[in-house]
Amino acid sequence: MDVLLTLFYLLFSICVVYPPTEFVSAGFTIPQLFENYLGSENMNFVGYHMKRITITAFIHTMLPMGYVLTMWCGGHIDEWLVSALAGSSLVPLMMIYRMLCWWEYGSSKHPAVKPLLPYVQPGQDWRVVANLLNTEFREVDKVTVPLTATSKIVATEHWLIKVTQYKLNIIGQSECSLVATATDSHNLTQTGEDEVQYVNIVVIPTDEDLERFTFRISTIALRDLQPRLANPVRVPEHISLLPTLIERFIAVFKLNIEQNPIYFVDQELELCIGCMQNPADVKITRRCFSPPPQAGNGPQQCQQCNCRVLWCASCMARWWATRATGPPDGWLGGRCTCPVCRAHFCLLDVCPARRSQST
């Protein structure tokens, strides 16, 4: 019985400290359970995390004493129980003293406030910087990327913030550089079709008074974070970032259509209506043979597309990939429909478009 109680409490403690997805979905995490007390993170970012860090640290220090009480409630009576209860109660008492130190002197020693102090001007209070950060955090263009169930990275216009269970790392984007230090890849399937890569990034401040920190993020999430960063992540030559499945498909798609005949046009090529950045450089024109009569129940035969040159190869490949079915290694062998007229076509019908030299 004691072994079962110990294993149960050990599992419970792990789920409290590092909540799994099931606990998060059920709302059984410290921030969710104390939501009414903590308030809104979006409205008062610094104040919210000051309360959250305090409550989280106190509850975690209560876990050893909770184990002793669990054994006592389970009927385990032993001479060491009283001593264990007295010893385990010292941990939360020491944490209470630590929290009192956090909140004294205007809360300047709190882990959520310390990162703001280097940005406080002489004669100014840290709450001025906190208000600026709170205001910027309310903006809708910030990017938030979850790292684990208990940590995340947030990029606003001027700030880069790492949120963890016991502290905040806050640094101005103009006062740091981001460098990739290592990568690791994991196959989600045995065929390797769904491979995910994680990259370790270190944030190096330009001021020695600021604390450097690291975070681990997937390359897919990194691409979402990059547009919000003031300085791009520097990737050393010995590190290569794995392209996404769509990016790999686009590269293979372009290689295959370059083998098709060139479709010459008389007028200047317009910008692609999909991305409005690259020139439209592909034309759908029927080149393949019709399927034999006995294949009437097979795939839809290709049709003639009368649309002018509107799309670039990258956007056409993305359109193809979003409508492809089955495993990725068979996408090129299928058929797609024109984004405009919905005419069916295959890979042989996608020809590179070039302006005629005679015009």
Side-chain angles (χ1 to χ4, degrees), residues 181-229:
T181 57
T183 59
D184 56 284
S185 302
H186 306 273
N187 290 329
L188 300 182
T189 61
Q190 295 181 353
T191 59
E193 295 166 354
D194 295 324
E195 186 177 7
V196 60
Q197 183 186 52
Y198 290 90
V199 54
N200 297 336
I201 298 176
V202 57
V203 180
I204 305 175
T206 56
D207 190 345
E208 295 181 355
D209 295 335
L210 301 176
E211 181 183 1
R212 72 164 57 188
F213 59 94
T214 62
F215 60 94
R216 182 171 179 265
I217 190 173
S218 67
T219 52
I220 298 176
L222 179 60
R223 289 178 174 87
D224 297 332
L225 182 66
Q226 283 273 25
R228 183 71 277 185
L229 297 177

Side-chain angles (χ1 to χ4, degrees), residues 3 8 37 92 122 147 151 159 163 183 205 223 234 251 269 276 349:
V3 175
F8 169 78
Y37 171 72
L147 303 177
S151 63
W159 301 95
V163 179
T183 59
R223 289 178 174 87
R234 292 188 299 173
L269 294 176
M276 296 302 294
D349 301 331

